[in-house]
Amino acid sequence: MSSLPHPEVVVKNRFLGFLIWQSITSTFIFIFFRISVFIIPRLPSSFLLSLFSFLIFHLSQLFFSASLYLLSSPQPFSPASPLQLAFAFVRFIFVSGDSFSSLDFRRRAFLSFKFLFFGLATAISGFLSLICVCGIGSGTCDGFRGFIFGLLYASFYIYKQRWILEFPIIQRPPFFSFKMRLPLAIKQAFKLSTIAHLISTVLIMFLPRNFKSSATVRMFITEQILLWCGSFSVFLCWELSHHLHQVLHTKRFVFAPPKGSAAAEANPSKPLLAAFEESSPGSLAQHLAYLDLCMACENNVDTWRRAAIFEETGETYKRVIAVCLRPLEHLASALAEGFESHMVDKAYQPSIQSQTELPSDSNYYEALNKFQQCAWCARTVALLTARSHVEDRFGIAQLSGSNAAVVSTLISCLLSVEAFMGKKTNLQSPHQLMGAEGIKWATPNTGRRDIVVAKKRSGPLYSKAFAMADVLRTSIYCIIAAFHEEMVTGDKAGLIEKDWLIGSKPLFGTRDMLLQKLRHFLDFRAS
């Protein structure tokens, strides 16, 4: 019986493959650069010296790649500021109690230290790489410039949040994906090397006895051309490492045994469920499991995997739905708690101070930073629910109550996200629901409506909230399209609330709000 490796082993194997491909690209760039500028007498002609510089160059690139791997994460987190770290450290020493007991603060503090380590690692890599590329005997001036190049690149990398793994919408073969990103890497390396060279030149002017090694103007120009070419090769190595890391670590991994094997005949969903349960929350392995499940539900290539989810006992279907609803439930609950805390804090504020302000974005950053995972979960549960109309031969989805849990969770998440975007629901009577207006949306504070909406739409989290709301609406419409006739019949008979909504209190809003929103979806008027 064939078995799949542990999810964490999959990630480690991809890291090793990334190091191998990174070494190949770095070798090609190093050799190409040294051959292109071999006529410059400044470069060493000794074979042993060239070999030594080649090994040091590779070690510096491997050091950068390792720091890049440690920093990367599939989810964006906000780091702790130096003042917060200093305050927590002082409190840990002089005040009783553990200041680092909070899991959220420990994660933010650890991310700050990873930023610091990445900056130092990139600076050291730039120091060694530029000396090796331009020549071991080039002096400390090139090393100082390489150190500045590393700090500038690390600052740019962190500021642009390029350490976040972005999963492509369309999964292409790795070679094709890397080939498509190669021109972008060359263009970015050219820009960065030019800007960094100018900045380092200005900083070098403040050093004592600068450019003393340049005996003539011709020699000075030759050194500057060599330094720019060397910096371009170093930046290109870093850019290619970044793109390789993105391509190889965001590639889909199939958590299923080969079709036709004994494991596929027994329980093909076992490796996928093990990946969910054995991997740590928010890890890359868990994201790969969610991606594989979403693609297996969307595509008709591996229909045997989806058929295995609808097995007779219903245990697999309920476990899959449970692991997919968990992130959506966390999103709705976190937003609901944020609204409640905001209302409590607002009660203690003077009425003239900030009665027209919506909640602060910082309160909801952690709730919306799992957008990619929540989007996969919403699409997965919606597709499984819609396909159960035809593929669920045993009626597991309806009998287990999963349909009601899925629809209630999706609508609750949609209402909470729309409330974050500055909208709130006005409950209406059944006679009003038949009109053309439907649900009327209004900003919480009508006094300064234009100011509040403009503020939210320009916020850093508004794009994520807007995209999440669009995914949730599409997912709900996917279920409506499959069960529209049954839902309309149940609505006329008064059974839609019983069949498609949970009996307990929803995660956000009330059952009347969920029922009203569901009826607008049935009329295809929800937007």
Side-chain angles (χ1 to χ4, degrees):
M1 178 179 295
S2 59
S3 60
L4 294 176
H6 191 272
E8 300 298 336
V9 177
V10 173
V11 177
K12 292 180 181 179
N13 292 338
R14 290 194 172 186
F15 173 64
L16 294 178
F18 160 66
L19 292 182
I20 294 175
W21 284 107
Q22 178 269 332
S23 301
I24 294 175
T25 56
S26 300
T27 301
F28 177 79
I29 293 174
F30 183 86
I31 295 176
F32 179 79
F33 175 80
R34 298 301 290 265
I35 293 177
S36 301
V37 295
F38 72 98
I39 57 175
I40 299 179
R42 181 181 176 180
L43 294 178
S45 57
S46 172
F47 174 77
L48 294 178
L49 192 59
S50 299
L51 180 61
F52 178 73
S53 62
F54 173 74
L55 295 177
I56 297 298
F57 177 80
H58 260 296
L59 289 177
S60 64
Q61 293 299 316
L62 289 176
F63 188 40
F64 169 79
S65 300
S67 64
L68 177 63
Y69 172 75
L70 293 176
L71 177 63
S72 63
S73 172
Q75 294 181 4
F77 297 106
S78 57
S81 63
L83 183 61
Q84 292 175 339
L85 292 175
F87 177 76
F89 184 73
V90 172
R91 184 179 178 183
F92 176 77
I93 296 178
F94 297 101
V95 182
S96 60
D98 189 5
S99 303
F100 298 92
S101 58
S102 174
L103 178 61
D104 178 68
F105 183 79
R106 289 202 306 267
R107 182 174 55 189
R108 295 175 58 195
F110 187 58
L111 180 60
S112 301
F113 287 117
K114 287 197 294 186
F115 281 168
L116 180 61
F117 176 76
F118 178 75
L120 293 177
T122 308
I124 295 174
S125 176
F127 177 84
L128 297 176
S129 298
L130 194 62
I131 289 181
C132 294
V133 168
C134 296
I136 296 295
S138 56
T140 58
C141 183
D142 293 352
F144 177 74
R145 287 197 173 192
F147 191 86
I148 296 176
F149 293 163
L151 290 179
L152 292 176
Y153 185 81
S155 302
F156 169 79
Y157 198 88
I158 295 174
Y159 176 74
K160 291 294 184 179
Q161 292 187 340
R162 303 180 72 190
W163 51 275
I164 303 173
L165 294 175
E166 298 180 355
F167 291 82
I169 300 176
I170 301 175
Q171 288 282 327
R172 298 183 177 93
F175 176 76
F176 181 79
S177 299
F178 179 71
K179 183 179 68 173
M180 295 295 294
R181 300 190 182 192
L182 184 59
L184 179 62
I186 297 176
K187 180 180 178 180
Q188 190 69 27
F190 180 84
K191 292 181 179 180
L192 292 175
S193 59
T194 303
I195 296 175
H197 186 77
L198 294 176
I199 295 177
S200 63
T201 301
V202 174
L203 295 178
I204 287 295
M205 297 296 295
F206 294 96
L207 292 179
R209 305 171 64 182
N210 57 312
F211 305 124
K212 185 178 180 179
S213 59
S214 303
T216 61
V217 176
R218 179 181 178 182
M219 193 63 182
F220 171 75
I221 296 176
T222 303
E223 289 181 354
Q224 298 307 308
I225 295 176
L226 178 63
L227 282 173
W228 184 89
C229 294
S231 63
F232 173 77
S233 63
V234 174
F235 278 112
L236 184 59
C237 287
W238 289 343
E239 282 294 305
L240 292 181
S241 298
H242 163 70
H243 289 297
L244 275 173
H245 186 270
Q246 290 277 343
V247 169
L248 295 179
H249 285 81
T250 58
K251 181 182 64 173
R252 178 193 178 187
F253 182 83
V254 179
F255 290 91
K259 186 178 180 180
S261 61
E265 296 295 335
N267 188 3
S269 302
K270 184 178 179 181
L272 180 63
L273 294 173
F276 285 120
E277 297 169 356
E278 297 177 6
S279 58
S280 57
S283 62
L284 177 59
Q286 190 182 67
H287 277 69
L288 293 176
Y290 278 115
L291 172 62
D292 179 51
L293 177 60
C294 183
M295 296 190 67
C297 295
E298 285 184 340
N299 303 328
N300 288 325
V301 178
D302 298 331
T303 55
W304 61 278
R305 294 187 60 191
R306 194 166 59 245
I309 297 178
F310 295 102
E311 47 92 14
E312 184 175 2
T313 62
E315 186 66 25
T316 302
Y317 183 82
K318 289 186 289 185
R319 291 172 66 184
V320 169
I321 293 296
V323 297
C324 290
L325 289 182
R326 196 174 299 126
L328 298 175
E329 293 172 352
H330 174 74
L331 172 63
S333 301
L335 292 177
E337 293 176 359
F339 294 141
E340 293 177 0
S341 62
H342 172 71
M343 296 305 296
V344 172
D345 295 339
K346 191 175 181 180
Y348 293 96
Q349 295 177 357
S351 59
I352 196 174
Q353 182 177 358
S354 60
Q355 294 297 314
T356 58
E357 293 183 358
L358 288 177
S360 176
D361 291 347
S362 60
N363 297 333
Y364 305 94
Y365 184 85
E366 297 298 332
L368 290 172
N369 65 355
K370 298 181 180 179
F371 162 74
Q372 183 65 84
Q373 187 175 358
C374 292
W376 287 331
C377 292
R379 289 157 54 188
T380 300
V381 295
L383 289 167
L384 283 178
T385 304
R387 292 183 183 276
S388 67
H389 187 263
V390 177
E391 301 178 7
D392 187 8
R393 299 175 298 170
F394 306 102
I396 299 167
Q398 185 67 28
L399 296 177
S400 62
S402 298
N403 287 351
V406 168
V407 174
S408 300
T409 304
L410 291 177
I411 297 180
S412 296
C413 285
L414 179 59
L415 291 175
S416 64
V417 172
E418 287 180 340
F420 170 79
M421 295 165 60
K423 302 176 180 180
K424 78 174 181 179
T425 308
N426 293 329
L427 285 175
Q428 300 167 355
S429 63
H431 298 287
Q432 290 177 313
L433 289 175
M434 301 302 295
E437 295 298 329
I439 297 178
K440 295 182 179 179
W441 299 100
T443 53
N445 304 285
T446 58
R448 294 172 54 187
R449 177 176 179 178
D450 53 340
I451 298 178
V452 172
V453 174
K455 175 185 176 182
K456 294 304 295 182
R457 294 200 175 191
S458 61
L461 293 181
Y462 184 85
S463 58
K464 287 187 178 181
F466 184 85
M468 192 67 228
D470 186 63
V471 171
L472 291 170
R473 293 191 195 100
T474 306
S475 301
I476 298 173
Y477 272 126
C478 179
I479 300 175
I480 296 296
F483 291 92
H484 187 264
E485 184 177 353
E486 290 84 346
M487 286 184 172
V488 171
T489 304
D491 191 20
K492 294 179 180 179
L495 299 176
I496 186 174
E497 185 177 0
K498 177 182 177 182
D499 295 338
W500 293 97
L501 295 178
I502 58 175
S504 59
K505 186 181 183 300
L507 299 171
F508 185 86
T510 61
R511 297 186 77 247
D512 293 335
M513 295 171 60
L514 267 63
L515 179 61
Q516 179 176 271
K517 191 71 171 177
L518 179 58
R519 284 172 175 167
H520 273 79
F521 275 102
L522 287 177
D523 296 336
F524 295 96
R525 291 189 287 112
S527 60

